[in-house]
Amino acid sequence: VTLTLYNILGEKVFMGSLPGNAGLNSINWNLQNQRGNQVASGLYLYNIEIQTSNGSLQKLGKVIVLH
């Protein structure tokens, strides 16, 4: 399982991953970008990718960050 977050300009701000175990999983994001700076309030895009025995699945969506 890989979670990638992008700002509205399409710049990658976070990437986290977990082993591909079945069941409930979680990835924590501390609202910091890859340089360790706190991200601004606003709209972010996410991509969740899951590797399966038949290939991969993706879910794209939006998340709003408010401080």
Side-chain angles (χ1 to χ4, degrees):
V1 177
T2 302
L3 168 67
T4 309
L5 291 161
Y6 301 91
N7 64 20
I8 201 67
L9 299 175
E11 301 166 333
K12 186 188 313 181
V13 296
F14 175 81
M15 185 173 200
S17 60
L18 291 171
N21 298 328
L24 181 64
N25 293 286
S26 65
I27 297 174
N28 293 320
W29 177 36
N30 59 5
L31 300 179
Q32 293 181 348
N33 63 21
Q34 294 184 316
R35 295 183 190 123
N37 300 319
Q38 185 176 23
V39 299
S41 294
L43 181 65
Y44 291 83
L45 307 173
Y46 68 81
N47 179 38
I48 297 174
E49 185 171 0
I50 302 168
Q51 297 296 323
T52 69
S53 58
N54 298 327
S56 65
L57 303 171
Q58 284 190 330
K59 172 69 176 173
L60 305 172
K62 303 172 203 169
V63 63
I64 296 175
V65 172
L66 298 174
H67 294 287

